[in-house]
């Protein structure tokens, strides 16, 4: 009877037991199934194997692959298995080649299918990044060894067996050459689609991302407050006597009437965005509320939060921001006759100094940088949402272009109607 | 410190085009590149060399046909100290065990403190060689490295960060050791400097064949390989027929949830 050994990996016990399906494919129902585990939970495996060889983690750490290979070699010498199956997990894919080298046998990696033709086992695996499949045989050496992709095979009803559990206490031949000194759970980061503010860090701060993260956390309230400040500023401008100042000079005549001006500004300002996101955001935020809020997706509180967020994004607040910026530039360029650059906006504060040398360079370069950053963030946001909200991915580029075009064009158009006649 | 970098030259698999009409993979006219993971490993060695040009000695070893000589020269022009090519027609058809034997035969005699290499190759994707070599040489090895701590590396006991799907683990090794660097480390291989573009590097390149490695013909190539590829085929992408498993929404949600969980898409 054929003898098969399966490595029952700690943390991947179910996947390992599923490998019995591979043994079944090779040998049919009549075969002898053994398992080896280092610190794994055998409760599910009892009843599926004839024997389970157990090594405690105190004797051998589950990452000490040299020691595990020693155990495998001794078992192989004593039992003479016909095949050794190892799940192709992180550890399995290091253990399998080590063991194959020690046993001087052929090894096939990351198997996704097993076929038997004329008594020889054909192991099928993807190659070239999964672009082609290869069928591989091992005819010359024993045992047949393979690492098998976890989750591909499922063994729903393994034959019931009387399991004998054998505890091994291997003698440590040498101290471990690799020591695990720390283990960190992989954290789930916040979804950028739900972020009010995006703080990006370049390669220079890669090792200090925690500082950047603290900044992002601290800035959360800052966005709402700044948006409110813009609205208040606009209200002040409207009701203050300075609201009577005519853009373009006291004698300027508007090119368009109010209605034309409003429609142009709306379409170019937030029109494209509001058509798309105005519909998408309430739905998106309802079913995927920001994880930090702990709201249940689809719940009433999530709906309220989604509407609140959408209102902040698409009503008076964005308009106040665009208008503040547009107003400053319009006043500086058309009333004060300064050049069409963002740094001109500083002339009322700093005088002509603002236009010469370093200040202008820094401000204008920062502006370009902010524009590029803003567009990049929009791209990221749109491209991450598009597959869910639009039917065909080919819609995305158009949408992206429209939205990313809006910040620069909005201030142009807000300032344009007041240009001198 | 002597760093030995193991490099494989692979076709640029991302360039492969799939012919949907003939349902085949077009593998022609694709350029050969340094395996992306190996480039990261070499990039790390060059970073150290830039900081300490006198202390760091880099040797690059590759088993490759002679047609890869221009690629190896490109590597040497990045101020690598020595390159060795293991090249012989009799190596053709080697599986991972035979390849490890060939590389191992050279490494057993080579003088190094640490071996840096890639996690897996873009074409074969077995990730066998680093582990098999570590076993052959009797030294420690860690795969899927995304970060190496430089100070501890220079002291001979590197702390490395590993991304193993579930956790970020930190391991400490002692030299000699094999470090398999993943492309997720995002370490870049620098370009050749303009002044070095025409550097003559012929004297730094050595070539060894089967006899030079003192191997027997039956240990290498097809005859030394226990495994053999019997056939290859391209995956065909076909529309799957629609299947109805359950009748109502309630059971549908449960079925889909269980399917996703089974396939490992859900925790």
């Amino acid at each position: 009877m054929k003898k098969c050994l399966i490595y029952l990996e700690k943390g991947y016990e179910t996947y390992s037991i599923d490998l019995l399906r591979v043994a079944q494919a090779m040998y049919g129902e009549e075969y002898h199934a053994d398992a080896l585990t280092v610190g794994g939970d055998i409760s599910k495996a009892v009843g599926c194997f004839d024997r389970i060889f157990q090594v405690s983690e105190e004797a051998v750490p589950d990452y000490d692959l040299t020691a595990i290979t020693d155990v495998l070699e001794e078992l192989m010498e004593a039992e003479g298995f016909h095949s050794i199956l190892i799940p192709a997990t992180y550890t399995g894919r290091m253990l399998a080649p080590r063991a194959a080298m020690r046993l001087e046998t052929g090894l096939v990696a990351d198997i996704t299918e097993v076929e038997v033709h004329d008594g020889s086992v054909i192991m099928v695996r993807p190659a070239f990044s999964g672009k082609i499949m290869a069928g591989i045989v091992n005819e010359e050496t024993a045992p047949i060894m393979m690492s098998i992709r976890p989750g591909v095979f499922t063994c729903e009803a393994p034959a019931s067996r009387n399991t004998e559990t054998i505890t091994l206490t291997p003698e440590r031949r040498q101290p471990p050459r690799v020591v695990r000194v720390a283990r960190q759970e992989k954290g789930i980061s916040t979804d950028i689609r739900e972020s009010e503010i995006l703080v990006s860090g370049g390669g220079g701060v890669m090792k200090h991302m925690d500082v950047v993260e603290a900044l992002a956390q601290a800035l959360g309230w800052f966005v709402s407050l700044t948006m409110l400040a813009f609205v208040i500023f606009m209200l002040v401008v409207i009701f203050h006597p300075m609201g009577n100042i005519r853009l373009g000079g006291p004698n300027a005549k508007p090119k368009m009437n109010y209605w034309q001006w409003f429609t142009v500004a709306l379409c170019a300002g937030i029109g494209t965005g509001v058509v798309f996101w105005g519909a998408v955001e309430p739905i998106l935020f309802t079913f995927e509320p920001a994880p930090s809020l702990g709201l249940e997706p689809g719940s009433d509180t999530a709906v309220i939060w989604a509407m609140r967020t959408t209102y902040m994004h698409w009503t008076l607040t964005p308009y106040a921001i665009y208008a503040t910026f547009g107003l400053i530039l319009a006043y500086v360029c058309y009333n004060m006759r300064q050049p069409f650059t963002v740094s001109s906006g500083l002339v009322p504060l700093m005088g002509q100094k603002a236009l010469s040398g370093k200040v202008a360079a820094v401000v204008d370069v920062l502006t370009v940088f902010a524009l590029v950053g803003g567009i990049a963030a929009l791209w990221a946001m749109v491209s991450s949402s598009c597959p869910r909200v639009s039917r065909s991915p080919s819609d995305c580029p158009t949408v992206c272009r429209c939205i990313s075009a809006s910040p620069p064009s909005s201030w142009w158009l807000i300032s344009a109607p007041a240009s001198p006649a | 410190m002597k760093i030995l970098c193991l490099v494989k030259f692979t076709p640029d698999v991302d360039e492969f085009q799939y012919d949907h009409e003939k349902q085949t993979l077009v593998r022609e006219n694709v350029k050969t590149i340094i395996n992306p993971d190996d480039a990261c490993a070499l990039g790390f060695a060059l970073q150290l060399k830039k900081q300490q040009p006198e202390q760091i000695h880099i040797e690059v070893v590759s088993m490759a046909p002679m047609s890869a000589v221009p690629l190896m020269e490109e590597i040497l022009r990045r101020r690598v100290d020595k390159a060795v090519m293991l090249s012989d027609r009799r190596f053709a058809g080697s599986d991972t065990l035979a390849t490890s034997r060939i590389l191992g035969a050279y490494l057993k005699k080579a003088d190094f403190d640490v071996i840096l290499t890639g996690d897996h190759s873009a074409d074969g994707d077995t990730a066998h060689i680093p582990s098999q070599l570590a076993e052959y040489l009797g030294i420690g090895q860690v795969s899927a490295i995304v970060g190496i701590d430089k100070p501890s590396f220079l002291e001979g006991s590197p702390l490395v960060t590993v991304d193993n799907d579930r956790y970020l683990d930190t391991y400490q090794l002692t030299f000699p050791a094999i470090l398999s660097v993943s492309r997720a480390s995002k370490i870049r291989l620098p370009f050749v400097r303009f002044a070095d573009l025409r550097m003559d590097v012929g004297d730094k390149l050595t070539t060894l064949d089967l006899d030079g490695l003192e191997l027997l013909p039956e240990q290498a190539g097809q005859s030394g390989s226990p495994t053999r590829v019997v056939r290859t085929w391209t995956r065909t992408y076909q529309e799957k027929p629609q299947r109805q498993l359950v009748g109502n929404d309630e059971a549908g949600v449960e079925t889909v949830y269980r399917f996703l969980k089974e396939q490992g898409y859900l925790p």
Side-chain angles (χ1 to χ4, degrees), chain B residues 94-156:
Chain B
S94 296
D95 72 353
T96 57
L97 188 74
T99 307
S100 296
R101 245 186 238 133
I102 295 164
L103 287 166
Y106 176 77
L107 295 174
K108 269 255 154 100
K109 292 178 208 154
D111 181 19
F112 62 86
D113 292 304
V114 59
I115 297 177
L116 283 173
T117 186
D119 183 58
H120 59 263
S121 63
D123 51 355
D125 198 17
T126 64
H128 284 174
I129 305 294
S131 299
Q132 285 182 328
L133 283 174
E135 178 59 37
Y136 190 81
L137 300 170
I139 61 179
Q141 182 261 342
V142 169
S143 294
I145 294 174
V146 292
I148 308 174
D149 177 61
K150 278 183 192 161
S152 58
F153 184 91
L154 293 169
E155 281 164 19

Side-chain angles (χ1 to χ4, degrees), chain A residues 311-334:
Chain A
Y311 275 123
M312 183 170 82
H313 286 170
W314 295 109
T315 52
L316 284 178
T317 32
Y319 245 98
I321 296 170
Y322 296 153
T324 306
F325 189 62
L327 185 69
I328 294 170
L329 278 170
Y331 184 79
V332 171
C333 299
Y334 294 116

Side-chain angles (χ1 to χ4, degrees), chain A residues 117-198:
Chain A
H117 284 299
D118 306 328
S120 69
V121 177
I122 300 178
M123 295 165 267
V124 180
R125 67 178 300 265
F128 291 111
S129 299
K131 289 188 167 110
I132 66 164
M133 306 298 286
I136 299 166
V137 292
N138 176 6
E139 281 167 339
E140 291 170 27
T141 52
I144 290 178
M145 270 193 83
M146 51 184 122
S147 63
I148 298 154
R149 190 174 283 195
V152 173
F153 294 92
T154 45
C155 195
E156 273 168 13
S160 147
R161 295 164 194 267
N162 287 329
T163 306
E164 183 190 351
T165 312
I166 301 159
T167 308
L168 301 177
T169 40
E171 239 174 82
R172 171 68 57 86
R173 293 188 201 169
Q174 54 216 351
R177 295 193 184 87
V178 180
V179 181
R180 181 158 66 216
V181 291
R183 162 159 278 191
Q184 191 192 336
E185 290 268 356
K186 280 208 228 170
I188 300 163
S189 60
T190 314
D191 193 331
I192 61 164
R193 287 167 302 168
E194 294 149 358
S195 310
E196 287 298 344
I197 189 160
L198 213 55

Side-chain angles (χ1 to χ4, degrees), chain B residues 37-223:
Chain B
D37 285 21
D38 300 350
C40 293
L42 182 58
F44 179 78
L46 288 166
Q47 275 179 13
L48 290 176
K49 173 116 180 147
K50 201 174 174 186
Q51 286 168 11
Q52 309 188 333
E54 300 303 317
Q55 278 84 20
I56 305 288
H57 178 276
I58 304 177
E59 174 178 351
V60 174
V61 178
S62 180
M63 178 176 134
M66 290 308 279
S67 59
V69 165
L71 282 161
M72 203 52 143
E73 285 178 346
E74 284 294 294
I75 289 178
L76 280 167
R77 291 196 182 98
R78 291 178 167 95
R79 301 282 169 105
V80 164
D81 299 280
K82 184 184 171 189
V84 178
M85 279 184 63
L86 312 180
S87 194
D88 196 312
R89 273 175 197 283
R90 289 168 286 181
F91 292 165
S94 296
D95 72 353
T96 57
L97 188 74
T99 307
S100 296
R101 245 186 238 133
I102 295 164
L103 287 166
Y106 176 77
L107 295 174
K108 269 255 154 100
K109 292 178 208 154
D111 181 19
F112 62 86
D113 292 304
V114 59
I115 297 177
L116 283 173
T117 186
D119 183 58
H120 59 263
S121 63
D123 51 355
D125 198 17
T126 64
H128 284 174
I129 305 294
S131 299
Q132 285 182 328
L133 283 174
E135 178 59 37
Y136 190 81
L137 300 170
I139 61 179
Q141 182 261 342
V142 169
S143 294
I145 294 174
V146 292
I148 308 174
D149 177 61
K150 278 183 192 161
S152 58
F153 184 91
L154 293 169
E155 281 164 19
S157 52
L159 284 164
V160 296
T161 314
V162 163
D163 185 344
N164 77 5
D165 288 354
R166 289 190 186 173
Y167 303 101
L168 280 176
D169 285 340
T170 308
Y171 290 98
Q172 183 147 35
L173 296 94
T174 31
F175 284 171
I178 300 184
L179 307 186
S180 306
V181 184
S182 155
R183 74 188 80 173
S185 64
K186 300 221 167 88
I187 302 170
R188 271 185 289 189
L189 183 64
F191 291 107
V192 182
R193 273 183 269 176
F194 185 73
D196 298 340
L197 275 176
R198 287 165 182 279
M199 198 207 296
D200 182 31
V201 288
D203 56 332
K204 291 181 184 170
L205 180 65
T206 337
T207 317
L208 283 170
D209 62 4
L210 192 93
D211 308 315
L213 289 169
E214 294 170 19
L215 278 170
L216 300 169
E218 59 267 24
Q219 287 179 301
Q222 208 129 46
S223 48

Side-chain angles (χ1 to χ4, degrees), chain B residues 16 24 26 96 107 143 170 176-177 227 234 236 245 267:
Chain B
F16 285 165
T24 53
V26 184
T96 57
L107 295 174
S143 294
T170 308
T227 62
T234 313
T236 49
L245 297 172

